[in-house]
Amino acid sequence: MPELPEVETTVRGLARYLEGERLTRVVVNRPDLRRPFPADLMQAMTGAVVTGLDRRAKYGLLHTDRGRTLIFHLGMSGRWRIDPERPDRHDHLVLHTDDHIFALNDARRFGSVDLVDRAILDAWPPFAAMGPEPLGELLTPGHLHAATRGRKTAIKGVLLDQRIVAGLGNIYVCEALFRSGISPRRQAGKVSRAAFARLVPAIRDVLHQSIADGGSTLRDYARPDGQLGYFATRFDVYGREGEPCHRCEGTIRRIVQGGRSSWFCPQCQK
DNA sequence: CGTGTGCCCTGACAGC
DNA sequence: TGCTGTCAGGGCACAC
């Protein structure tokens, strides 16, 4: 379930093995995920040295000494398998260094791989339109307040809009709204400044806690079976329909908004 | 422009 | 043991 914390954990895990290493072999088993891989992917990456890794929203960035950056998105089911014991039919792209093997595995194939000049990364169309990072200082209550004035649509959907804030997914929007006492159904334009002042730290806290958890299981992430270290603490609302609220005597409900599930406590969240 | 819908693809799981 | 239906971390192309 790659949301921002999982991408962050993945990037950190890859960095431990890849930073400063030369890619000795690049194998493309299937040349497309959501869209075709860059035609020159193999040529561009074979022999390149990985100079560093980064994350932008839910994208992972793999910088090379050739001035080009490989950008991956894990979609719904993507993950990197380090030193897999055996190949898997969904290992679409495989990178080799002298000491390790890294397989980009994505069963549902909603992910992507792109190659962009590092100098113009910010102008890459998916990045150019993005709002601030949820963990960066540009995400403020004032930003969300200004961005939502006059919007009649529900706050839930606005928070999933990467142009408003870049990197939140369904799980953490649900969890952050619960923590800040805001109903996912609330009209975005009617959410008060005070409510946003609760929401911003709630977003930061839940993401930081999840990243810390991913970090604590980094050892597991690097296991040959490729298990990722997901947010292991119990969610307050996500996936908990019909179960008791952790804060009151109420029961968690599930509704569908924009074709996706929202879980919330009708008593705690107004 | 803002808003809502449907689709991309495969696998896991529940229920019969 | 199988079948069938439902649902899933995301993002984008469309239609109004």
Side-chain angles (χ1 to χ4, degrees):
Chain A
M1 49 174 90
E3 287 202 28
L4 183 152
E6 289 74 28
V7 178
E8 179 70 26
T9 300
T10 295
V11 164
R12 291 182 189 182
L14 289 174
R16 278 175 46 194
Y17 294 90
L18 272 174
E19 219 158 56
E21 298 296 317
R22 186 178 300 277
L23 300 177
T24 53
R25 190 160 167 249
V26 176
V27 179
V28 175
N29 290 323
R30 169 165 185 156
D32 64 306
L33 289 173
R34 163 182 300 286
R35 50 180 178 268
F37 288 172
D40 61 340
L41 179 61
M42 270 182 55
Q43 185 188 358
M45 297 304 284
T46 304
V49 173
V50 178
T51 53
L53 287 94
D54 276 319
R55 176 191 59 73
R56 174 77 173 103
K58 288 178 259 192
Y59 291 84
L61 312 180
L62 209 148
H63 305 299
T64 70
D65 63 341
R66 296 174 178 174
R68 305 192 76 189
T69 296
L70 184 154
I71 304 175
F72 64 86
H73 195 294
L74 298 176
M76 298 274 260
S77 57
R79 60 194 177 128
W80 281 95
R81 305 201 303 145
I82 301 182
D83 297 330
E85 277 184 17
R86 56 183 63 80
D88 181 271
R89 56 192 294 239
H90 301 301
D91 289 343
H92 305 302
L93 171 67
V94 185
L95 308 179
H96 295 251
T97 61
D98 280 338
D99 301 322
H100 296 286
I101 297 174
F102 309 84
L104 178 61
N105 185 285
D106 186 356
R108 284 181 75 183
R109 298 182 41 242
F110 283 11
S112 61
V113 173
D114 293 281
L115 220 41
V116 176
D117 286 343
R118 185 174 188 174
I120 56 167
L121 267 184
D122 290 343
W124 189 52
F127 288 172
M130 274 184 182
E133 285 283 326
L135 295 178
E137 57 189 28
L138 293 181
L139 179 69
T140 60
H143 166 73
L144 291 179
H145 190 259
T148 51
R149 288 315 87 184
R151 299 283 305 263
K152 291 194 187 314
T153 192
I155 186 66
K156 162 75 186 305
V158 170
L159 293 174
L160 286 174
D161 184 340
Q162 306 294 296
R163 294 167 300 185
I164 306 296
V165 49
L168 292 182
N170 204 28
I171 292 175
Y172 297 102
V173 166
C174 290
E175 294 295 310
L177 285 173
F178 171 79
R179 290 180 180 214
S180 47
I182 303 167
S183 168
R185 295 189 283 202
R186 223 41 181 274
Q187 268 187 34
K190 291 188 175 173
V191 176
S192 69
R193 190 176 281 274
F196 282 127
R198 296 193 307 273
L199 177 62
V200 168
I203 289 170
R204 292 218 170 90
D205 287 349
V206 72
L207 292 178
H208 277 308
Q209 286 166 16
S210 178
I211 290 169
D213 182 72
S216 73
T217 54
L218 216 51
R219 185 190 301 264
D220 290 336
Y221 163 83
R223 264 183 349 203
D225 64 11
Q227 286 299 310
L228 286 169
Y230 290 136
F231 194 32
T233 60
R234 284 174 38 222
F235 297 124
D236 283 316
V237 288
Y238 184 85
R240 296 192 64 241
E241 183 181 16
E243 295 178 34
C245 175
H246 290 155
R247 280 216 185 132
C248 75
E249 302 306 309
T251 302
I252 303 306
R253 272 195 64 194
R254 181 178 82 97
I255 59 174
V256 175
Q257 297 178 288
R260 307 187 70 186
S261 292
S262 299
W263 290 268
F264 70 110
C265 172
Q267 298 213 60
C268 293
Q269 298 174 250
K270 299 295 183 190

